[in-house]
Amino acid sequence: MRLALMIPCYIDQLKPEVGIAALRVLEACGHEVVFPEAQTCCGQPFLTAGEVERAKPLGAHYIHVFESFDFVVTPSGSCSATIRRHLPSWIEGSAAEQTAGRTLEFCEFLASEEGGGEALPTGRFDHRVGLHASCHALRELGLGTPTETRNAPIADPAAKLLSRIEGLELVDLTRRDECCGFGGLFSVAEEAVSCRMGLDRLADHQGARAAVIASTDASCLMHLEGLATKRGMPFRMMHVAEILAASCLPAEDDGSHNLRIPVPAGDADADARRDEVRDGTR
């Protein structure tokens, strides 16, 4: 089975270590992984800006680059949702439908029968982790169960993979599926609202005493990281692929696997800082 690794723009330009981690994990599961260098943006920025006509050429190029592969795997819920949900409406024909159907989010693929995530060694990661649910992965791809639905529960593939790691404690959040406020161009057009939403999410993770905030989307993590850094909040942001690579695979020689994760504050301190964040005084 030949896999194509589709790397989102944010990861390519700002977080290449996420793409490397995803590659290492996929190869550790026994897959032949190809990175087509002709790949470009999936078109999501145009879509969120309402410029669908400008997204269509990118959709056509996506089909040209990826249609020959068995699966296209991307470490991004938002990019995979863009292709799966919208590519067939941009481009007519079976090629668009088939390519869209074979495009899977990284954790979604690993947790599938074809993905072979069970083949990963059971690693160790002695940290409290808060899992941030990507809106696109949760609501467009159905990777998990949103709180507003009455449908039968659906297991979150990311949570399933993380739960196999010894020492890793997934913390309970009070609003586990609330948006971080990034939303692509929304964070530019509605900066104040976007930041307020992000601070609410950080306060929730802080109240749960998470040391690490994980997600399937680097864009969400970068938004939260910017807010946390500005306020001196000692979270480490890690894509799920990075946690899997760091805990389950042999360390790389360059030392990039070494994690320096702060110990979360005690309950009283966490509660005080959470109140400060929510009140806007921090």
Side-chain angles (χ1 to χ4, degrees):
M1 180 165 47
R2 293 176 70 242
L3 304 183
L5 183 61
M6 187 273 187
I7 296 298
C9 302
Y10 282 108
I11 292 177
D12 177 56
Q13 296 296 316
L14 301 171
K15 294 288 184 180
E17 60 270 24
V18 174
I20 293 171
L23 173 63
R24 293 186 66 214
V25 170
L26 290 170
E27 289 183 336
C29 291
H31 299 296
E32 176 190 354
V33 185
V34 178
F35 175 76
E37 294 189 12
Q39 64 180 277
T40 58
C41 177
C42 68
Q44 183 189 165
F46 287 125
L47 181 66
T48 59
E51 297 285 350
V52 178
E53 290 302 315
R54 295 190 177 187
K56 288 181 179 180
L58 293 173
H61 183 69
Y62 185 94
I63 297 170
H64 174 73
V65 171
F66 291 112
E67 66 177 330
S68 64
F69 291 91
D70 297 310
F71 288 99
V72 184
V73 180
T74 179
S76 168
S78 58
C79 290
S80 54
T82 296
I83 296 299
R84 283 250 287 281
R85 295 294 299 272
H86 301 285
L87 182 62
S89 67
W90 296 345
I91 312 293
E92 295 183 357
S94 59
E97 294 181 359
Q98 292 171 5
T99 306
R102 291 196 297 264
T103 299
L104 301 181
E105 185 271 326
F106 171 77
C107 293
E108 177 187 24
F109 175 75
L110 282 182
S112 70
E113 183 177 346
E114 297 85 358
E118 295 293 329
L120 278 174
T122 301
R124 188 164 193 90
F125 192 79
D126 293 306
H127 301 288
R128 291 171 61 86
V129 177
L131 181 58
H132 171 71
S134 158
C135 293
H136 288 89
L138 184 64
R139 293 179 176 84
E140 290 205 80
L141 296 180
L143 304 182
T145 307
T147 54
E148 65 268 20
T149 185
R150 294 183 178 179
N151 295 331
I154 300 173
D156 182 342
K160 179 180 178 181
L161 292 167
L162 292 176
S163 66
R164 297 182 65 244
I165 301 174
E166 295 181 3
L168 188 153
E169 182 180 354
L170 281 175
V171 303
D172 291 325
L173 302 171
T174 59
R175 298 190 300 277
R176 61 177 174 77
D177 61 345
E178 193 170 89
C179 178
C180 71
F182 178 65
L185 294 181
F186 173 80
S187 62
V188 177
E190 298 289 349
E191 177 186 357
V193 178
S194 173
C195 289
R196 181 71 267 169
M197 293 171 70
L199 290 174
D200 284 347
R201 297 313 311 129
L202 290 175
D204 198 359
H205 286 276
Q206 192 173 49
R209 298 182 60 240
V212 178
I213 298 179
S215 181
T216 59
D217 273 82
S219 52
C220 297
L221 292 174
M222 285 190 289
H223 175 59
L224 293 172
E225 184 176 34
L227 292 168
T229 300
K230 186 175 181 179
R231 288 156 181 80
M233 303 171 74
F235 292 113
R236 181 181 175 102
M237 309 292 170
M238 298 184 70
H239 192 281
V240 174
E242 293 181 284
I243 295 179
L244 292 174
S247 61
C248 300
L249 302 182
E252 294 182 306
D253 295 335
D254 63 2
S256 62
H257 61 282
N258 294 326
L259 302 178
R260 291 181 293 276
I261 300 175
V263 176
D267 289 343
D269 291 340
D271 288 342
R273 282 199 299 276
R274 179 186 61 211
D275 293 340
E276 289 176 353
V277 169
R278 285 180 174 163
D279 294 340
T281 58
R282 184 181 180 92

